[in-house]
Amino acid sequence: MIRLDNVTKSYRSGKVKIRALDNVSLEIKQGEFVLLNGPSGSGKTTFLNIAGCLTRVTSGRLFLEDQEISHLPDHFLSAIRREKFGFIFQQFNMIPGYTTWENVSIPLLPMGVSDKIRKKRAMNLLEELNLETRADFFANELSGGEQQRAAVARALINDPEVIMADEPLSNIDIKNAGMVIAILEKLKNKGKTIIISFHDSQPQIVKLIDRMVFFDSGKISSQTQLQ
Ligand SMILES: Nc1ncnc2c1ncn2[C@@H]1O[C@H](COP(=O)(O)OP(=O)(O)OP(=O)(O)O)[C@@H](O)[C@H]1O
Ligand SMILES: [Mg+2]
């Protein structure tokens, strides 16, 4: 489904050049649930951003369904993102001037879906995440954990084939984490491809994982097949 072929991503900060990803090759199959693990700064977020076409490779190639997409123009990549991917960002990226349900339904805006249907779909997801009472709050009025669950709802509203989640449980308590994990399990059972990053091990989620990929200093240091 998604394949990175010898991908390097370098950043320059002043005189220092950082290889956030260093010659990484990895193939993720359709329907696979992959956990990215590794210490802070090891390249997990960078990997997700590249696999999800949010950032371009410095060198190497990115394939989606056997088609090379690394060099497609921005508008093609945005269309791929909109239609195929749902993102849960490490920093949530909620828009403060919008309410929770409006934030959740943002991915539907370019698709010309009516306000009524956008709100209905957003409310269904908010209920599933125990957030329906916060639907009309502005994003800046939500706690960290509430924003994180709203970010989960927003990632799922366009029914994406691939869900990419960057530390999706890092700000939430056990009960709400259980809710997010139940949603991930449902998505897995529907055959969705899921790529998720954590720097700690999360015992509740281990039963869902097909493969763990460990990063260290921008490289894949090892992999473990669990199922
Ligand atoms: N925009 C950027 N400019 C410069 N350096 C960057 C940029 N983004 C990431 N890096 C560097 O790339 C390396 C990998 O960062 P990345 O965010 O992928 O790590 P991570 O594994 O997700 O870490 P964490 O567990 O803390 O989220 C880090 O050393 C970071 O400082
Ligand atoms: Mg990260």
Side-chain angles (χ1 to χ4, degrees):
M1 174 112 208
I2 296 173
R3 181 156 63 89
L4 280 76
D5 211 354
N6 291 314
V7 166
T8 291
K9 177 71 185 179
S10 318
Y11 290 109
R12 188 178 291 280
S13 185
K15 287 200 172 146
V16 185
K17 200 170 165 199
I18 294 157
R19 282 194 167 190
L21 279 187
D22 190 0
N23 208 20
V24 165
S25 296
L26 189 72
E27 183 171 358
I28 290 164
K29 298 188 188 71
Q30 185 163 9
E32 207 179 6
F33 193 126
V34 176
L35 175 83
L36 313 179
N37 206 323
S40 181
S42 58
K44 305 179 295 294
T45 297
T46 307
F47 180 93
L48 285 172
N49 287 344
I50 286 192
C53 310
L54 287 162
T55 315
R56 286 185 184 274
V57 302
T58 306
S59 65
R61 304 200 291 169
L62 172 67
F63 294 83
L64 178 68
E65 289 159 353
D66 291 327
Q67 262 202 311
E68 187 176 357
I69 59 167
S70 344
H71 304 299
L72 290 180
D74 285 347
H75 66 275
F76 276 108
L77 295 180
S78 328
I80 290 172
R81 278 202 307 269
R82 244 191 344 258
E83 285 159 26
K84 298 215 178 253
F85 299 151
F87 284 96
I88 305 164
F89 295 98
Q90 193 165 11
Q91 312 291 349
F92 320 138
N93 295 354
M94 292 282 132
I95 300 176
Y98 283 19
T99 65
T100 305
W101 82 261
E102 285 167 340
N103 264 287
V104 167
S105 71
I106 281 173
L108 297 178
L109 280 175
M111 296 174 188
V113 179
S114 73
D115 282 0
K116 197 173 153 196
I117 293 180
R118 279 197 305 127
K119 182 154 194 185
K120 188 164 183 285
R121 283 175 62 180
M123 289 308 294
N124 286 342
L125 281 164
L126 289 172
E127 268 167 41
E128 208 171 334
L129 286 152
N130 195 24
L131 265 183
E132 69 278 14
T133 59
R134 300 291 185 270
D136 294 316
F137 282 42
F138 286 100
N140 55 309
E141 296 169 336
L142 301 179
S143 74
E146 287 166 349
Q147 285 188 53
Q148 186 141 45
R149 280 178 286 142
V152 172
R154 183 184 54 193
L156 301 181
I157 197 142
N158 62 348
D159 193 27
E161 278 174 54
V162 183
I163 294 102
M164 303 200 185
D166 202 359
E167 318 248 355
L169 304 180
S170 56
N171 285 284
I172 45 189
D173 56 55
I174 288 180
K175 179 171 157 242
N176 288 310
M179 230 174 267
V180 173
I181 289 168
I183 289 179
L184 291 172
E185 185 164 18
K186 221 157 69 176
L187 293 166
K188 180 183 162 116
N189 293 338
K190 276 176 143 176
K192 306 284 187 186
T193 306
I194 303 172
I195 314 172
I196 206 167
S197 87
F198 283 120
H199 52 240
D200 308 311
S201 68
Q202 296 272 349
Q204 298 161 280
I205 213 161
V206 169
K207 63 178 199 289
L208 303 180
I209 296 166
D210 296 314
R211 180 158 53 126
M212 285 171 91
V213 178
F214 295 91
F215 284 79
D216 193 11
S217 308
K219 291 180 185 290
I220 294 177
S221 55
S222 64
Q223 296 193 46
T224 310
Q225 194 75 36
L226 297 178
Q227 296 184 35

